[in-house]
Amino acid sequence: MWLRNIVDGSEALALCTVHGLWLPGILLVIVLSFWETMYCLLYQFIWSKMQAEAQINKHVCNARSAYSGSEKCVAIVTGANSSIGYKTAKALGHAGFTTILACRNLKHAQLAQQQLCESTGLDTFWVIELDLVSFMSVQQFVAEFHKTYTQLDVLTCNAGVVFGHYDMTYDGLEAQFGTNLVGHYVLVAQLLNTLKATQGAHIMVYSSVAVCMVCGLDYSQITNMWHFSHFVNYSTSKLALLMFANKLVWQLHDCNITINAFHLGLVATGLYCNVLVSILPGIHDFRQWLWLGQVDGTVTTMYLALAPELAGKTSGYYACEQPTVMHPNAQNMAAQDQLCTFTNVLVKTNTHVPNVLDSINVKEKL
């Protein structure tokens, strides 16, 4: 749409200017936040929630027609008990998928399953516990999944943490990087054979407009707790996710798997509760009014999962159902290789190993 093209063009110009001159990333965040806010304001007057729902229904109907009479399709949505994950799982259920709610909190996941079944009249939603902060939990999830299913048509890497205080995963990794990237990295690796065996599988990776805050990956930000920053570490994890998606494209180029990443812009979800200004009176209500709704955010996820024109069209980065500006470092193949090497080391050891950076010769930002 023309409005999104204007926003993307402005963001691309800002991205080139700030990174070209090595200006502080926070300046770019301010500029991008301004344009995304303008988009939200204009969106309020030009489009409506009903139009977003109609767009989702269009994708759902097209998918039901395409898959009618064929074997039941299977989808996994990480973090499906709330927000965008919940809406995505619901739409996939309507589209005829058996949908696995992969969540760390079983109680919340089972409540979401009950609500989904009641609201849709379908019995195709199932819960399998998955805590991305634990490699053992990922392994147990995959084993439980393979007890019942031999195919996987859609994998939505949606779960994540944002702007949290410094914390570590069960395996000793910085929590934001460990959850947002490494947990999904291990999950995809263990589901890869099933994805390859499924004709025309899709992998969707949820990144963020915040990736533009960093010029590249500073690995000491991940391994040294004294370098930790709420915003920088979150942006680093989301840039790493975007790079991981592009690396997967090269690794699986001959496997008929469609892999794309996306960001939602400014969407009113519960992820921003850790932002300091969220404690101010009225901020929550103001954000709910100004930012895009969760239904609006779900449109892009359903487009990537179900749109027939995207079959085999891979290595894209999308917002509002159209390609958007990608961080220049996300397409750097040398940086992608180093990220994979670094992540493999983290999986085998943990960030407490003193020479974890030396072991892969990482000393600079990439």
Side-chain angles (χ1 to χ4, degrees):
M1 61 183 78
W2 61 269
L3 178 57
R4 190 68 227 181
N5 288 336
I6 294 174
V7 172
D8 286 345
S10 303
E11 291 182 354
L13 179 61
L15 183 67
C16 292
T17 302
V18 171
H19 285 180
L21 298 176
W22 287 88
L23 298 174
I26 190 64
L27 294 178
L28 188 56
V29 171
I30 293 171
V31 172
L32 266 57
S33 296
F34 169 79
W35 282 111
E36 291 292 340
T37 301
M38 292 300 101
Y39 177 82
C40 291
L41 279 171
L42 292 172
Y43 187 96
Q44 302 267 8
F45 296 102
I46 299 174
W47 290 280
S48 68
K49 180 179 178 181
M50 291 183 63
Q51 286 174 299
E53 290 175 342
Q55 195 69 1
I56 292 173
N57 289 336
K58 184 188 80 170
H59 294 313
V60 166
C61 291
N62 289 342
R64 291 187 72 90
S65 299
Y67 295 130
S68 61
S70 61
E71 186 178 353
K72 192 80 170 179
C73 293
V74 180
I76 292 174
V77 182
T78 65
N81 61 285
S82 64
S83 299
I84 301 299
Y86 179 89
K87 299 289 186 184
T88 300
K90 183 177 183 178
L92 287 169
H94 278 305
F97 285 73
T98 295
T99 307
I100 311 301
L101 314 183
C103 310
R104 66 179 177 86
N105 189 310
L106 269 182
K107 183 178 179 180
H108 292 170
Q110 289 165 350
L111 179 59
Q113 178 191 24
Q114 180 182 345
Q115 292 171 341
L116 286 167
C117 291
E118 290 175 354
S119 63
T120 63
L122 300 169
D123 61 355
T124 54
F125 301 97
W126 301 96
V127 172
I128 303 180
E129 184 178 9
L130 171 65
D131 193 345
L132 291 169
V133 303
S134 166
F135 298 153
M136 182 178 292
S137 178
V138 174
Q139 187 175 4
Q140 291 172 345
F141 169 86
V142 173
E144 191 67 25
F145 174 80
H146 283 148
K147 286 180 182 178
T148 307
Y149 306 100
T150 58
Q151 70 179 81
L152 178 57
D153 299 271
V154 171
L155 173 59
T156 304
C157 299
N158 166 78
V161 293
V162 54
F163 305 147
H165 297 291
Y166 183 84
D167 201 358
M168 290 191 299
T169 69
Y170 288 116
D171 302 289
L173 314 181
E174 188 277 310
Q176 290 189 118
F177 193 84
T179 304
N180 297 347
L181 173 75
V182 184
H184 283 117
Y185 182 97
V186 175
L187 178 66
V188 171
Q190 296 191 16
L191 289 171
L192 211 48
N193 288 336
T194 308
L195 288 160
K196 289 178 180 178
T198 305
Q199 183 68 22
H202 286 66
I203 300 175
M204 295 137 55
V205 175
Y206 182 6
S207 185
S208 169
V209 69
V211 300
C212 297
M213 184 173 180
V214 291
C215 292
L217 299 185
D218 181 355
Y219 290 100
S220 67
Q221 199 78 37
I222 302 157
T223 60
N224 190 333
M225 67 176 292
W226 302 109
H227 291 182
F228 177 80
S229 162
H230 303 78
F231 293 97
V232 174
N233 278 67
Y234 174 72
S235 302
T236 297
S237 70
K238 288 299 186 177
L239 174 57
L241 260 177
L242 188 53
M243 293 167 66
F244 170 54
N246 287 332
K247 178 63 177 177
L248 272 178
V249 171
W250 288 102
Q251 290 178 333
L252 306 177
H253 66 277
D254 58 349
C255 294
N256 192 27
I257 299 176
T258 300
I259 305 164
N260 288 298
F262 64 98
H263 79 74
L264 303 178
L266 299 179
V267 174
T269 70
L271 285 176
Y272 296 91
C273 62
N274 290 322
V275 180
L276 185 60
V277 295
S278 295
I279 66 174
L280 298 175
I283 284 293
H284 175 75
D285 292 336
F286 178 72
R287 186 188 296 141
Q288 291 291 120
W289 171 79
L290 177 61
W291 288 7
L292 300 179
Q294 293 176 18
V295 173
D296 301 304
T298 309
V299 172
T300 299
T301 65
M302 299 314 300
Y303 171 68
L304 294 179
L306 303 177
E309 63 269 24
L310 287 184
K313 189 176 181 181
T314 197
S315 192
Y317 188 40
Y318 290 82
C320 302
E321 295 187 284
Q322 66 183 57
T324 190
V325 55
M326 187 180 292
H327 192 291
N329 214 50
Q331 297 174 304
N332 183 322
M333 294 184 67
Q336 293 168 16
D337 291 339
Q338 194 131 47
L339 171 64
C340 288
T341 303
F342 177 75
T343 307
N344 287 331
V345 170
L346 294 186
V347 172
K348 292 176 182 177
T349 59
N350 57 56
T351 51
H352 292 298
V353 176
N355 63 344
V356 66
L357 296 183
D358 294 338
S359 65
I360 54 171
N361 197 29
V362 175
K363 295 184 180 297
E364 300 178 356
K365 292 182 180 181
L366 287 176

